[in-house]
Amino acid sequence: MVGEAAALRLGSTVAKAAAQMWLGGKRREQERTLDMAELIRLRVSGLRFQRGVQRQFEEMADAVYDRLAPFLEREFPGLEENSRRAVIDAVCDTFAAADLSDEAILAADARPAEIVRRLTGAACPPVGLGEAESRLYELLFAECVEYYVRIVRGLPVFEERALSELLARTTSLGAEIARVLQRLPDRSLFAPEGTDRDAEFRRRYLELVSTTLDEVELFRRTSDRAGAQVRLSVAYVSLRATGDEIRARREGARRALPLLRPDMSDWENSGGEGAGMRVEAALGGPARVLLRGEAGSGKTTLLRWLAITAARGAFTGELADWNGLTPVFVKLREYSGRALPTPEAMLDSVAGQITGVMPKAWVERQLADGRALLLIDGVDELLDAERRGVREWLRKLLAAYPEVRMVVTSRPAAAGADWLRREKFTALHLDRMAPPDLAAFVRQWHQAVRELGEELPCPVEELPRYEQSLLNSLKDRPHLQSLAGTPLLAAMLCAMHLNRGSQLPRDRMELYRNALHTLVHERDADRNVPSAVDSELSLGDKVVLLRDLAWRLSDNNRSEIALEQAALHVGQKLAGMRHLDSLQDGTTVLESLRDRSGILRSPTLGRLDFVHRTFQEYLAAEEAAEEDRIGNLIGRAHLDLWRETIIMAAGHANRPQREELLTGILDRAVAEPRWTRKLRLLAAACQETVPQLSEELAGRVDTAVETLLPARRESDPAQLAAVGTSLLRKMPKSLTELTEKAAVQTVRTVALIGGSEALGLLSSYVGDKRDRVVRQLIQSWSYFDPDPYADAVLSGIQLANHEVVVKYSGQLRALRRLAPTDVDIYFPLDDLGALRMLPPLHDLSLWSLTGEADLSLIPHMPDLDALALDGDAAFTHMEALERFTSLRHLAISVRNTSDLSSLRLAEKTTHLTLWDIHSGTDLTQCHTALSGLDRLYVWAADYSPVNLTALPAVPVLQLQEVDVRAWLETPGFKPPEVEHLMLMGCLLPDDRGSLDFPGVEVHIF
């Protein structure tokens, strides 16, 4: 059911209920099924009067429609049509059956919240709705009741009935007042006056978050309407994350999951497959996350998406439990140089317009109840001393509100993986986009810009052609794939392709330069925008002004400036531009740059910043080169905030300046042992942008790089890979002289650089027999196209004793000729028939099954010893497992499989793991299959109460995250028939004596 039709039906339902109130007040059973026209004909005499009454209530229905239509358009966009229809049916049925007579309304003092509580308490909850559906049902029902009450209170007849009710109450006025006083909320630290408005304010706040944060700047050319945005909820593309500390989700599984890395998959699978863990899945486990990512990797966009999705209660999958949380988005850049916000001030940047009517201590109550989702953005945008203050601020927040969920973002240089380890944060790193992710991004970007309509530089119907043309260019030009590895750069590349056809850049510096020229000047000048035609400022003039602003911000370690002060700086710069015919007003020019360039923006009233920090760094670097501030850069080379600026300054600089810059950095590396490693890495990274070095300086840089080799630390490969393919010439042709640890990091470094030269070098490492080195060579498959790597590297490795991880379907084709025995498949798989390409295996793990998984499609493997089946799939034909006659270990997620009666196990199956058991799981259905096991392992979903009384006798029963207290209180409880009962992370009774079962050894972990 589309949003408009649903809103119209709900509006008619509300209006009909109001008509019944107006026409009599008492609900007659036979009138419940009448439509409004029939009801009016029954209760109103006279055709003309009937038509007038009907028009009045139709207008009421339209008014409700006007409120609900946009609500339904933006809320819960992920719900399918049949789910939405079920919710609307449930709301209408509940509303039609409810007692909405004047007596019921007056009994609740005509307060919508009280009426909702009474009605929901009296009504049977709808059956068969999922979490998201139930949430939408509650929201819609509450909205409809509130509209109904406000309509009824406006009816003339209501005042008369309310007065009669009030007079009837005077005989017991004292008791009534006492009852009302008892109903008032307790006055305490967390429940002061005004808590009765909490729900109303929350709804208003979430609507504001959903609206104001649901926009994203796409780097594009527009027409006259400046600042056009597209919806983030349309443009958002799921990214992938590497867990710096991710442990296996299945600690009880036979083996742990490996860490996930980005890949280089084939482009035939550009529908979204690829390596790495989806960031939404990675966020779903830990309550506290430090999310690290390079410039432009999508950290802020991800936080905004989390905020608007939480505001709409539209999370699915791993984040479904986050529905109901209240998002609080804090931009740390706004607090540079001033105190970090108290809870009551945290809403200022997003909802400052309504904080004046916020109930006292509302934010504190959200935090204390564990209902807040605290999203802290931009640790790296503060000075080092200020970052220490952030850590202390977070520590105090968590001490006061330990249940709050929190995601904090930073660039890696500003916050290491262990920066918040003491605060028990899990560190995640946003990976660069692999080719499948890039293809998905390109498609989503072109889908999102459709909303710009006439503002596009081409007809909307031509967008598919541009989209496919860009995908073809990326496929055929690997350097562009590497260039567009972050959402920021990919968006710029998409816009440049749309605006300038085939003129795609060769490197990052050219991409920034072209994007700036297009955004700052060409998009308006080419389209004859009046403000651009009449302006005396050339492209060079505008860039000079922007460079000056960028340097002033960076020089003061700031990312924002007061608009008034920025206008003063622009005015001073304009005064020195003697070639201009007339004196330009600084405020007018600055406002024009902000409104038209797409580079500047006002994040809050009276403030100015660059739309992305990367543009500030690029322009500040150009200013440093233009004004010969090389000495200033050398003095700051050890500071994380200046790393990107210095790398790009090396690209902007002329030859003498480059020599001075790199010589100065290397001299400091010798003179200051504290910063030696960081400075040498910086000098190495500058090679990305410098076009040429003198022979002497190149030798010094090479020597500095050689001191960093071989890579030994976990963080070394990523930093060294930034040097590029030139580093491959310094890599050893053999690993025999290296320690195992250094050899592993060397393989990782070569793999991260990628390309045909790297592939050739890795093939020379194949003879190394050390276990960790071999594992790293196998894992590096994900960085290359599958077939060439399989032929050059994997074909020379004995895979029989090693686990092979498959991260996209293109790798499946190569597996048969490689003949591994142990395979883990991570990409989403909804057709088990695809496994027919696999060779016979000993171990097989499928971690991301989706849809309806027919187990009879798994090919027969006579030697299969261990099988793991996980994901969001509903399994069918479970009897097919019986044909794996050698299968000893089986692990299966039964979260979405309601019927377990068909489960059959082979005779040799002695170890069974059941994941995601919940209260609806009926283990009696598979009682026979569970008999004869040596060990049964049960992992509950979210500590669900599970009925285990029907379990058969088994020597070892292991329970993980089970509500044991509820199990002991189950009617008809009987002790388990086991020899060993192992309880891991379970909810246990206070009286441990209740766990003393005769003949059972209980082990608690």
Side-chain angles (χ1 to χ4, degrees):
M1 178 180 298
V2 297
E4 291 186 351
L8 188 58
R9 183 179 172 195
L10 290 170
S12 299
T13 300
V14 172
K16 176 184 173 183
Q20 289 173 321
M21 157 68 82
W22 187 75
L23 294 170
K26 297 185 181 295
R27 303 286 298 274
R28 298 180 180 178
E29 190 63 33
Q30 64 269 26
E31 293 176 1
R32 294 180 187 271
T33 58
L34 299 179
D35 63 26
M36 195 186 311
E38 293 172 331
L39 179 66
I40 291 172
R41 281 197 298 272
L42 178 67
R43 307 296 298 277
V44 177
S45 59
L47 180 60
R48 188 172 183 279
F49 193 28
Q50 289 173 356
R51 292 176 63 187
V53 170
Q54 182 161 348
R55 278 196 300 271
Q56 292 293 322
F57 283 101
E58 285 174 350
E59 289 178 6
M60 295 178 193
D62 290 343
V64 175
Y65 164 83
D66 291 338
R67 292 281 299 177
L68 285 177
F71 178 87
L72 286 167
E73 182 70 24
R74 68 173 184 268
E75 299 292 334
F76 300 85
L79 279 184
E80 296 181 357
E81 184 64 27
N82 56 347
S83 299
R84 216 173 260 271
R85 184 179 292 108
V87 170
I88 302 302
D89 289 342
V91 172
C92 291
D93 291 345
T94 306
F95 207 86
D99 181 5
L100 294 171
S101 62
D102 54 350
E103 289 89 346
I105 301 300
L106 291 168
D109 300 324
R111 290 190 294 125
E114 178 63 23
I115 295 170
V116 169
R117 279 194 293 272
R118 293 190 180 205
L119 294 181
T120 53
C124 295
V127 178
L129 298 185
E131 278 192 44
E133 295 162 348
S134 298
R135 175 68 177 148
L136 179 58
Y137 166 82
E138 293 168 2
L139 289 173
L140 283 179
F141 186 62
E143 288 285 315
C144 289
V145 169
E146 179 163 350
Y147 301 154
Y148 170 78
V149 173
R150 298 199 183 279
I151 290 172
V152 165
R153 289 174 66 174
L155 295 175
V157 71
F158 183 77
E159 292 184 6
E160 178 184 342
R161 292 172 185 166
L163 179 60
S164 299
E165 174 72 11
L166 180 63
L167 292 173
R169 291 183 182 184
T170 56
T171 56
S172 56
L173 190 57
E176 179 69 13
I177 290 174
R179 183 179 68 81
V180 170
L181 291 177
Q182 283 182 341
R183 277 209 319 264
L184 290 176
D186 292 335
R187 302 291 185 248
S188 68
L189 179 63
F190 288 110
E193 185 175 358
T195 54
D196 58 327
R197 296 188 292 110
D198 276 6
E200 180 182 351
F201 178 79
R202 182 175 185 273
R203 183 174 69 245
R204 189 175 176 186
Y205 168 69
L206 293 183
E207 287 179 354
L208 194 60
V209 170
S210 179
T211 302
T212 58
L213 292 182
D214 190 18
E215 57 185 27
V216 63
E217 278 280 357
L218 296 179
F219 295 94
R220 68 208 185 282
R221 172 188 289 170
T222 66
S223 64
D224 296 347
R225 191 161 67 91
Q229 308 273 335
V230 298
R231 284 183 293 156
L232 171 60
S233 50
V234 175
Y236 177 75
V237 172
S238 175
L239 301 173
R240 302 179 189 275
T242 294
D244 296 311
E245 299 177 350
I246 289 180
R247 295 175 177 84
R249 184 166 76 90
R250 309 300 193 190
E251 293 181 6
R254 207 170 55 82
R255 58 178 177 272
L257 305 183
L259 295 182
L260 303 174
R261 298 292 303 167
D263 71 288
M264 291 292 291
S265 73
D266 61 344
W267 279 64
E268 295 174 12
N269 301 302
S270 55
E273 296 175 6
M277 178 180 289
R278 285 295 175 194
V279 68
E280 297 86 355
L283 290 172
R288 304 171 186 176
V289 171
L290 172 62
L291 186 68
R292 303 160 66 237
E294 300 295 346
S297 60
K299 302 182 295 296
T300 300
T301 299
L302 174 60
L303 289 197
R304 290 163 67 98
W305 179 83
L306 290 173
I308 63 174
T309 309
R312 298 171 183 180
F315 287 115
T316 58
E318 299 282 351
L319 295 182
D321 292 342
W322 288 23
N323 289 323
L325 296 180
T326 301
V328 179
F329 184 58
V330 178
K331 293 183 286 187
L332 289 178
R333 65 160 61 182
E334 296 180 357
Y335 299 96
S336 180
R338 60 192 183 101
L340 292 163
T342 59
E344 66 180 6
M346 288 179 179
L347 308 189
D348 288 352
S349 63
V350 174
Q353 307 93 318
I354 63 171
T355 52
V357 297
M358 178 172 65
K360 187 176 181 181
W362 182 82
V363 178
E364 286 87 343
R365 285 194 291 280
Q366 303 298 310
L367 295 168
D369 294 342
R371 297 197 304 267
L373 174 59
L374 202 50
L375 305 169
I376 312 295
D377 186 43
V379 171
D380 56 287
E381 299 192 34
L382 301 177
L383 294 171
D384 186 58
E386 292 175 320
R387 293 178 208 150
R388 290 193 289 271
V390 170
R391 185 159 48 189
E392 186 61 28
W393 175 68
L394 292 174
R395 186 177 296 135
K396 290 179 179 178
L397 271 176
L398 292 168
Y401 310 108
E403 301 301 318
V404 67
R405 282 191 174 273
M406 190 180 297
V407 182
V408 180
T409 69
S410 175
R411 291 187 186 180
D418 59 351
W419 190 66
L420 291 174
R421 188 185 300 276
R422 286 180 55 193
E423 290 73 28
K424 298 181 179 178
F425 275 70
T426 295
L428 299 177
H429 187 279
L430 279 178
D431 286 329
R432 290 176 62 83
M433 290 192 295
D437 303 315
L438 179 54
F441 183 95
V442 169
R443 290 193 169 92
Q444 201 66 29
W445 189 92
H446 285 84
Q447 178 64 32
V449 297
R450 289 175 181 274
E451 295 190 354
L452 299 178
E454 295 181 356
E455 299 181 40
L456 287 168
C458 71
V460 172
E461 57 269 19
E462 291 187 20
L463 277 176
R465 179 173 63 82
Y466 279 95
E467 176 186 312
Q468 193 57 49
S469 172
L470 180 56
L471 288 172
N472 292 338
S473 296
L474 291 170
K475 178 180 179 181
D476 297 334
R477 299 160 74 177
H479 75 278
L480 288 180
Q481 293 181 24
S482 176
L483 177 61
T486 66
L488 173 70
L489 294 175
M492 291 167 61
L493 202 63
C494 289
M496 202 164 295
H497 180 267
L498 187 62
N499 294 339
R500 306 177 69 168
S502 60
Q503 298 180 29
L504 291 174
R506 295 184 303 273
D507 55 46
R508 182 159 63 116
M509 295 290 286
E510 185 181 355
L511 177 59
Y512 292 149
R513 181 170 58 253
N514 290 347
L516 280 166
H517 290 180
T518 297
L519 292 170
V520 172
H521 186 74
E522 292 174 6
R523 69 171 187 176
D524 282 354
D526 290 352
R527 299 176 71 88
N528 294 317
V529 175
S531 59
V533 174
D534 298 338
S535 174
E536 290 187 42
L537 298 180
S538 66
L539 170 62
D541 296 333
K542 295 174 183 177
V543 170
V544 165
L545 296 174
L546 290 169
R547 281 193 342 230
D548 180 68
L549 276 177
W551 176 260
R552 289 179 183 275
L553 284 169
S554 297
D555 191 40
N556 290 286
N557 299 306
R558 295 286 183 265
S559 55
E560 283 188 17
I561 188 172
L563 197 59
E564 184 177 345
Q565 179 145 17
L568 182 63
H569 294 319
V570 169
Q572 291 172 346
K573 197 71 177 177
L574 286 167
M577 299 172 122
R578 315 303 293 182
H579 63 282
L580 298 179
D581 292 337
S582 59
L583 185 63
Q584 303 282 320
D585 177 62
T587 300
T588 302
V589 170
L590 179 64
E591 289 178 350
S592 175
L593 285 172
R594 180 194 61 185
D595 295 341
R596 297 301 314 164
S597 72
I599 297 297
L600 297 174
R601 66 176 181 180
S602 288
T604 56
L605 187 64
R607 306 288 293 177
L608 188 79
D609 70 356
F610 284 84
V611 71
H612 198 280
R613 186 170 151 198
T614 295
F615 285 121
Q616 177 183 326
E617 291 166 332
Y618 176 87
L619 288 162
E622 189 175 7
E623 178 74 359
E626 183 70 23
E627 299 296 324
D628 201 23
R629 294 189 170 106
I630 303 303
N632 198 313
L633 296 179
I634 294 171
R636 296 173 174 181
H638 65 289
L639 298 175
D640 300 327
L641 275 173
W642 284 83
R643 183 178 185 274
E644 288 295 312
T645 302
I646 290 171
I647 291 173
M648 286 188 276
H652 283 299
N654 58 36
R655 181 169 179 172
Q657 289 174 328
R658 283 198 301 274
E659 298 278 323
E660 179 186 353
L661 177 62
L662 288 173
T663 299
I665 292 173
L666 293 173
D667 287 346
R668 283 193 62 194
V670 174
E672 303 175 43
R674 179 184 179 186
W675 307 114
T676 296
R677 184 174 184 80
K678 179 175 283 189
L679 292 170
R680 285 174 174 167
L681 281 169
L682 177 60
C686 285
Q687 294 180 92
E688 175 198 355
T689 61
V690 296
Q692 183 186 6
L693 291 176
S694 68
E695 185 176 346
E696 180 184 354
L697 183 55
R700 287 196 66 184
V701 173
D702 288 345
T703 301
V705 172
E706 287 167 3
T707 64
L708 301 171
L709 298 175
R712 291 183 177 87
R713 303 179 184 178
E714 289 288 331
S715 58
D716 284 352
Q719 298 183 64
L720 289 170
V723 176
T725 55
S726 63
L727 186 68
L728 295 174
R729 296 191 293 272
K730 300 178 176 62
M731 291 295 187
K733 304 300 181 185
S734 170
L735 303 175
T736 54
E737 301 298 322
L738 303 181
T739 64
E740 185 175 26
K741 181 178 181 180
V744 168
Q745 300 308 327
T746 297
V747 172
R748 287 188 63 222
T749 304
V750 174
L752 282 170
I753 294 173
S756 58
E757 189 177 347
L759 180 59
L761 189 56
L762 290 175
S763 67
S764 69
Y765 298 159
V766 167
D768 198 299
K769 303 298 182 184
R770 287 172 288 185
D771 188 65
R772 289 179 58 202
V773 177
V774 174
R775 286 207 305 269
Q776 186 60 55
L777 284 168
I778 295 172
Q779 291 171 14
S780 297
W781 191 15
S782 296
Y783 295 84
F784 298 85
D785 286 337
D787 291 321
Y789 194 89
D791 295 335
V793 179
L794 297 182
S795 61
I797 297 176
Q798 291 293 328
L799 298 177
N801 298 318
H802 296 281
E803 177 184 287
V804 176
V805 175
V806 177
K807 298 178 179 177
Y808 50 91
S809 60
Q811 293 175 316
L812 281 178
R813 294 191 298 269
L815 281 181
R816 182 168 291 278
R817 66 178 185 273
L818 294 175
T821 59
D822 185 351
V823 171
D824 279 26
I825 297 178
Y826 278 92
F827 66 86
L829 188 63
D830 59 5
D831 179 13
L832 293 179
L835 301 179
R836 64 183 177 274
M837 290 183 280
L838 291 176
L841 300 173
H842 186 263
D843 289 9
L844 174 61
S845 299
L846 309 173
W847 296 109
S848 299
L849 294 171
T850 61
E852 187 175 281
D854 183 351
L855 297 184
S856 68
L857 296 178
I858 301 178
H860 180 56
M861 299 180 186
D863 298 323
L864 190 64
D865 177 75
L867 176 63
L869 303 168
D870 193 18
D872 294 319
F875 296 106
T876 62
H877 295 97
M878 301 177 73
E879 69 279 357
L881 296 171
E882 190 174 16
R883 61 196 170 92
F884 297 106
T885 53
S886 298
L887 189 66
R888 292 187 302 124
H889 302 264
L890 173 65
I892 184 169
S893 170
V894 297
R895 178 191 318 150
N896 297 320
T897 305
S898 57
D899 185 4
L900 302 179
S901 60
S902 65
L903 179 63
R904 301 288 184 274
L905 302 178
E907 222 175 279
K908 288 189 178 181
T909 305
T910 56
H911 291 64
L912 175 63
T913 298
L914 296 176
W915 287 321
D916 301 316
I917 297 286
H918 51 81
S919 57
T921 305
D922 185 2
L923 295 179
T924 60
Q925 295 176 334
C926 55
H927 184 279
T928 303
L930 302 183
S931 302
L933 293 171
D934 291 341
R935 187 184 192 102
L936 176 61
Y937 177 89
V938 175
W939 188 316
D942 304 320
Y943 298 96
S944 294
V946 181
N947 187 354
L948 303 174
T949 57
L951 286 179
V954 59
V956 179
L957 174 62
Q958 184 170 334
L959 306 180
Q960 179 92 20
E961 296 186 6
V962 170
D963 188 346
V964 174
R965 298 173 305 184
W967 176 37
L968 296 176
E969 296 170 1
T970 303
F973 170 81
K974 62 178 182 178
E977 298 180 49
V978 300
E979 298 172 14
H980 300 275
L981 177 61
M982 307 176 74
L983 306 176
M984 302 181 67
C986 295
L987 298 179
L988 302 175
D990 295 332
D991 178 16
R992 299 298 173 87
S994 60
L995 296 173
D996 293 335
F997 305 127
V1000 179
E1001 288 189 26
V1002 179
H1003 310 270
I1004 300 175
F1005 301 93

